[in-house]
Amino acid sequence: MTPQAHRTGNAPPTGRRRGTALEQAIFEAVVQQLEAVGYAGLTMEGVAAAAHTGKAALYRRWPGKAELVVDTLDRLLPSPEDLPDRGNVRDELIELLRQKAAVLNSRVGRAVQSLLAETERDLPFVRLVQERVFEPRLNVFRVILERGGRRGEIRPEPISPLVADLGPAMLVQRFLGDSSPIPDDFLVAIVDQLILPLIKR
Amino acid sequence: MTPQAHRTGNAPPTGRRRGTALEQAIFEAVVQQLEAVGYAGLTMEGVAAAAHTGKAALYRRWPGKAELVVDTLDRLLPSPEDLPDRGNVRDELIELLRQKAAVLNSRVGRAVQSLLAETERDLPFVRLVQERVFEPRLNVFRVILERGGRRGEIRPEPISPLVADLGPAMLVQRFLGDSSPIPDDFLVAIVDQLILPLIKR
DNA sequence: CAGATAAGATACGGTTGCGTTCACAAGTGG
DNA sequence: CCACTTGTGAACGCAACCGTATCTTATCTG
């Protein structure tokens, strides 16, 4: 049933790695295994083999696979960044979607696709993945709208909260339907053809 | 590793089922197993146990799990329906999104969430799930726009193709982020607050 | 009723992964 | 140098599942 564990393709290390160096190799192996066999197919043995280490080194640090994956994701997923004021709403929205697309386009982003399947299983990484990868950043969107309002760029009337969901929803759907990276002009088109017409003065 | 196979909760059948009756029970068991343990966790033994039958009955019909799942999905996922002319664009768009939400809200729809993890694995059900469950129905959207154009309801200038993706993208994101059923007023809001402002005269 | 078919139950040999344990030894710091 | 920590490789008993095979027998049809 379980496919053969995939090797990283890297040669085994010369000499022993200790502490954080070993942990980095393990995290890298987790990502590689998530990509190759998904969360369900990921095994401690497979991660250990891909990291060229022993299971005991894994179990010394993590009680099981879910905790290992949580720690890996927490370490490797980018934290949300503040968005600099770029002087106009369009550029800020494009930047916001670029940040999201960059996460989705990353190896880690692609690796977490398999975690979508686990959403109902009360595993500790579910919330983390939703927040860091898939959910819209409503607070940043709100800041962009406030700045745009101050600059007189957007309509004075209230804007539907659904507009904040729109861009990320389109990116996620693209992500799920097509495994090639999300092109930049796609997200620019989302801003220009969908979001701006809904909010611009 | 693999969790214990879950029973359907139904009592074993009285007497033997043959032919299509047995197949129905097997399909039902597949859905139940997809919900309970996902695609990766689904086993022929688990399905056989949940359907109160023997593995040999499964292997007599299907060479393996992927074929079994394809057949189940093909049988249980609703085929696309034509959309009747409801006299105005708004009602037609709402109906279109209602059909999609109905699929996503169904047990089968929820059961296929685990298949999202498999999208990169060239399994035969991938296309089927994308088309039947997740993808926008562009041809129907186009028909709605044409009718609306004829009625003078929508703008004469070309409408961005991204607008067709918008509704389904919002539904899918809702589906992924929240396991409760998609409420009807959510999809009505998508039409009223996002799609119509983008297309209406 | 007899015959044919296929369902249900079980067994089998093989594979894989779990979590634990152990022996040896590389690496580090005093 | 020595003591300690931790990494490496391998072994272990167990559980689960695969795909196949076999036997019994329920069900259906003519």
Side-chain angles (χ1 to χ4, degrees), chain A residues 113 115-121 126-127 130 134-136 162 165 168-169 172-173 176, chain B residues 34-35 73 77 97-117 119 129-130 132-135 166-183 186-187 190:
Chain A
Q113 183 170 348
L115 302 180
L116 288 172
E118 313 296 338
T119 54
E120 293 190 66
R121 291 182 175 78
V126 171
R127 195 71 236 136
Q130 287 288 341
F134 293 116
E135 283 183 352
L162 294 181
D165 296 333
V172 169
Q173 183 173 51
L176 294 177
Chain B
L34 281 174
E35 286 182 290
L73 296 176
L77 284 173
L97 290 193
R98 270 202 186 114
Q99 286 181 7
K100 177 129 307 205
V103 177
L104 293 174
N105 285 338
S106 72
R107 277 186 69 226
V108 188
R110 186 56 71 183
V112 304
Q113 185 171 348
S114 68
L115 303 180
L116 288 172
T119 53
V129 170
Q130 288 287 340
R132 298 267 187 99
V133 180
F134 294 116
E135 281 183 352
L166 173 50
M170 294 292 287
L171 294 184
V172 170
Q173 185 175 48
R174 173 71 188 243
F175 172 74
L176 294 178
D178 181 347
S179 56
S180 59
I182 298 164
F186 180 72
L187 63 94
I190 291 167

Side-chain angles (χ1 to χ4, degrees), chain A residues 109-190:
Chain A
R110 185 56 69 184
V112 304
Q113 183 170 348
S114 65
L115 302 180
L116 288 172
E118 313 296 338
T119 54
E120 293 190 66
R121 291 182 175 78
D122 285 335
L123 296 171
F125 53 73
V126 171
R127 195 71 236 136
L128 189 69
V129 170
Q130 287 288 341
E131 285 174 4
R132 299 269 186 98
V133 181
F134 293 116
E135 283 183 352
R137 296 172 57 197
L138 298 180
N139 52 341
V140 178
F141 189 81
R142 217 171 280 125
V143 168
I144 291 171
L145 289 196
E146 281 165 13
R147 287 186 195 149
R150 268 186 258 121
R151 295 189 202 108
E153 289 184 82
I154 65 172
R155 299 198 186 120
E157 64 264 20
I159 281 162
S160 165
L162 294 181
V163 179
D165 296 333
L166 170 50
M170 295 291 287
L171 294 185
V172 169
Q173 183 173 51
R174 174 70 189 242
F175 173 75
L176 294 177
D178 181 347
S179 56
S180 60
I182 297 165
D184 198 70
D185 59 5
F186 181 72
L187 65 92
V188 172
I190 292 167

Side-chain angles (χ1 to χ4, degrees), chain B:
Chain B
M1 174 181 123
T2 306
Q4 186 77 3
H6 293 247
R7 298 280 170 154
T8 59
N10 294 334
T14 55
R16 289 181 178 187
R17 301 143 304 176
R18 290 174 80 91
T20 57
L22 179 61
E23 278 160 29
Q24 276 306 308
I26 291 167
F27 293 145
E28 180 58 36
V30 169
V31 172
Q32 189 270 335
Q33 287 292 290
L34 281 174
E35 286 182 290
V37 299
Y39 177 74
L42 181 138
T43 62
M44 299 300 264
E45 285 198 5
V47 170
H52 302 289
T53 189
K55 281 198 283 185
L58 266 53
Y59 282 108
R60 203 175 286 126
R61 291 165 169 77
W62 299 283
K65 135 177 168 176
E67 293 87 356
L68 171 60
V69 168
V70 171
D71 218 11
T72 300
L73 296 176
D74 194 29
R75 297 294 178 82
L76 296 187
L77 284 173
S79 311
E81 299 165 37
D82 289 338
L83 201 68
D85 189 328
R86 291 191 182 277
N88 72 88
V89 161
R90 179 179 181 269
D91 288 353
E92 286 172 0
L93 288 174
I94 288 173
E95 182 65 26
L96 178 62
L97 290 193
R98 270 202 186 114
Q99 286 181 7
K100 177 129 307 205
V103 177
L104 293 174
N105 285 338
S106 72
R107 277 186 69 226
V108 188
R110 186 56 71 183
V112 304
Q113 185 171 348
S114 68
L115 303 180
L116 288 172
E118 315 295 337
T119 53
E120 295 189 66
R121 287 186 181 78
D122 283 337
L123 295 169
F125 53 72
V126 170
R127 193 73 238 136
L128 190 68
V129 170
Q130 288 287 340
E131 285 174 3
R132 298 267 187 99
V133 180
F134 294 116
E135 281 183 352
R137 295 172 59 198
L138 297 179
N139 52 341
V140 179
F141 190 81
R142 216 171 282 127
V143 168
I144 291 172
L145 289 196
E146 280 165 12
R147 287 186 195 147
R150 265 184 262 123
R151 297 189 201 108
E153 290 185 79
I154 65 172
R155 296 197 189 117
E157 64 266 19
I159 281 162
S160 165
L162 293 180
V163 179
D165 295 333
L166 173 50
M170 294 292 287
L171 294 184
V172 170
Q173 185 175 48
R174 173 71 188 243
F175 172 74
L176 294 178
D178 181 347
S179 56
S180 59
I182 298 164
D184 198 72
D185 59 4
F186 180 72
L187 63 94
V188 172
I190 291 167
V191 173
D192 287 340
Q193 295 169 29
L194 298 181
I195 301 177
L196 286 179
L198 288 168
I199 65 174
K200 280 263 276 181
R201 206 157 203 149

Side-chain angles (χ1 to χ4, degrees), chain A residues 12-52:
Chain A
T14 56
R16 287 181 178 189
R17 299 143 307 173
R18 289 172 77 90
T20 58
L22 180 61
E23 279 160 28
Q24 277 307 309
I26 291 168
F27 294 144
E28 180 57 36
V30 168
V31 172
Q32 189 272 332
Q33 287 291 291
L34 282 173
E35 285 183 289
V37 297
Y39 177 75
L42 182 139
T43 63
M44 299 300 267
E45 286 198 6
V47 170
H52 301 290

